[in-house]
Amino acid sequence: MIRLHDILDTISAYNPEADLDVIKKAYVFSAKMHEGQTRQSGEPYLVHPMEVAGILARMKLDVPSIATALLHDTVEDTVTTLEEVERLFGPEIKNLVDGVTKLSRIQFTSVEEKQAENFRKMLMAMAQDIRVILIKLADRLHNMRTLEHLPEKRQVPIAQETLDIYAPIANRLGIQEMKVELEDLALKYLKPDVWRHIDEQVKKRASQREKHISEVKNSVERTLKEHHVVGEIYGRLKHYQSIHKKMVAQNIPFDEVHDIVAFRIVVDNVQQCYEALGVIHALWRPVPGRFRDYIAMPKANNYQSLHTTVIGPHGDRVEFQIRTRQMHETAEHGIAAHWKYKEGRLMEDKDEMKFKWLRRLLEWQSEISDSTEFLETVKLDLFAEDVYIFTPKGQLKELPRGSTPLDFAYSIHTDLGHSTVGAKINGKIVPLRYQLHSGDTVEILTQKEKHPHKDWLQFVVTSRAKAKIRSFLRQEEHDKSRAIGHEVLEKACGHHGLNINRVLKSREMEEFAKNASYEGADAILSAIGYGKISALQIVGLFVPHDQLVPEEAAREKARESVIGKIVRRLTRAKGLVKVSGYSDMLVNFGKCCNPVPGDSIVGFVTRGRGVSVHVSDCPKVVGMDPTRRVDVEWDQSSDATHIAKIRVVCADRPGLLANITEAITAEGVNISAASIHTMEDQTAVNNFDLEIKNITQLRDVIKALERLKGIISVHRVREG
């Protein structure tokens, strides 16, 4: 357990003039507020803020950041208020604490919405002060280090969120040390058998690996010395997530991953970086196409190094990274290594420019009102690196890697994007799906009468483009459903001698909208168009039930009797999903995502096909009109099975297929369909349709398969 004087000594080492009294005061206050509280591990709760403060001290952050780390849970988990924090520690620390504090005291409609709002708030706080995200990352890192003390059902979503959001943020901020540890810890809980297998294999080969590191290191050190290049060389094991990705990407077992060790050479200046590169290439033959100069062209997160791969002393590939000491510090600690703080603002504009992606993310988030949609689209920007392109007038634009001419058009102006019909890249016409490359000059071709197409959502990558296209399509869909709703209601009003204009402007309509949570008459008309409510419900506000037109009354009575049967039914049919609390409603499952019982799901009303049910993070969901959304949940009383698709990549050896099918059936799961394809690289790709009861059963199957010898990867296939 870290102690206060450890933190104070670390701070004093890099900042001798630091006001340590503030840290001591924050420690005493946190200890008092958290007194009597314990973590799931049984340790005193104070251990957590202390460890977070220790992580930030090792990253050489300033006093307000470390004080905030000690205080960051006091507002959320104790009776402390932000006003009290401000009175005791000042507005700067109060604002940092507020930025890190979760929205735990606000009621949300779902866990997903809460997660999305927390993330949105965090980004907004970053706009004011970048230290917020550094504190939050340290908080998440310590929580991941102690995740074993939580029940498994909580471990998986936290680990997934870490892999989806926090590790990419650490990468974007250039904090490789933290990014690597977060990814490895996430793998440990998301794929425990894969992590365990890699860990066992790594430990088994430890002595062999150390011998290899020593041999390469001695050769390089000796040759560098001969050429008068002063530098330090380190051999390091690649992190587990990196090894796992390579196994999956190349369809190879662990035994065939030969380059699990990488070497790093740290020198004094840039000139020596290139001299060291020449030494390495003279010593061993370089692998064509594997040299990268990130010194001349740094990555978007400001990472700089020379990367090369050579054929080493025993014919194996050996990777080298060559960098200066300053580059190394930046690579390990990213933004925290070279950004100087003064009242929450960065002192050096040139450093701020290196993180344009962050400002771009913050600008775009304001254009997406739906928090869940924002969270899904922003993940794309977190994973992306940047490309640099030119307008026809020679202006430089920066976009995420994978961006298309449409992304470029929407980055200029919404109307330009909406009216795009084509594009010229370097003077040649290209498809709208074309992926831009650094150095491209982009010219957009437009027609005023043209409008966005739903297919565009399949290939644009920026949050801004997606948000603008969805907004247009939703409005278009809303207008269509409103027109249909108006026509249906006008017909119903005509049957009962009512004037539709008076109905729409009436006090009764206003009250109905308020009670049913609709934003005015237009929203009600749209709901009628989609069939979410009936026109007769509106007519019933003005006409007594016994005076309804017989044909309409009979239809309403029939509808009520159906609902009544659903409510009163004692023996339920084997319906998997309840819609707004009712079972046996007409539903269909999206083939784009194949929901499985236990998945987080959302429903959308369709015309003529009932309710379409999708997994919450299905890409098609964020393109749908929110006004069509209905509450859906899995029917826990149902014992019906559902088809889940998995893909198993394995070594092509006799008997392994039999082992796979035995492992599946041993979990009580039936295989309804299977296809097996052998590949030229001595691997086999096996696709299975499984009849499962819930997501837990599917996870058990995947874990059982991952334990088999010869399995390279197992993953769920969402698309039908």
Side-chain angles (χ1 to χ4, degrees), residues 165-182:
I165 296 174
Y166 290 97
I169 287 178
N171 180 55
R172 271 299 204 160
L173 296 176
I175 313 173
Q176 292 302 304
E177 189 176 42
M178 186 177 287
K179 173 246 186 187
V180 163
E181 187 174 356
L182 287 172

Side-chain angles (χ1 to χ4, degrees), residues 300-353:
N301 61 10
N302 200 37
Y303 173 87
Q304 288 183 288
S305 284
L306 298 177
H307 286 199
T308 190
T309 302
V310 298
I311 303 299
H314 300 291
D316 290 339
R317 293 189 174 198
V318 182
E319 294 183 13
F320 284 91
Q321 298 172 351
I322 307 169
R323 60 180 68 150
T324 67
R325 300 181 198 286
Q326 184 179 354
M327 291 173 189
H328 179 64
E329 183 71 11
T330 299
E332 293 300 297
H333 297 129
I335 195 174
H338 63 101
W339 282 29
K340 305 300 180 184
Y341 299 108
K342 184 178 181 182
E343 297 178 352
R345 295 185 62 82
L346 300 171
M347 297 172 67
E348 299 182 40
D349 290 339
K350 66 180 181 65
D351 284 334
E352 188 177 5
M353 293 298 288

Side-chain angles (χ1 to χ4, degrees), residues 458-469:
Q458 303 303 313
F459 56 84
V460 295
V461 301
T462 59
S463 301
R464 180 182 177 87
K466 286 181 179 290
K468 293 300 184 183
I469 295 167

Side-chain angles (χ1 to χ4, degrees), residues 234-249:
Y234 308 93
R236 61 180 180 85
L237 176 73
K238 288 186 177 179
H239 65 292
Y240 288 9
Q241 175 74 346
S242 174
I243 294 172
H244 174 58
K245 282 182 178 178
K246 182 159 289 191
M247 290 168 63
V248 173

Side-chain angles (χ1 to χ4, degrees), residues 557-575:
K557 186 175 181 181
R559 191 188 71 82
E560 288 182 344
S561 66
V562 171
I563 296 294
K565 287 178 182 177
I566 293 172
V567 174
R568 293 190 297 271
R569 184 168 294 178
L570 298 176
T571 306
R572 304 185 189 199
K574 293 186 176 182

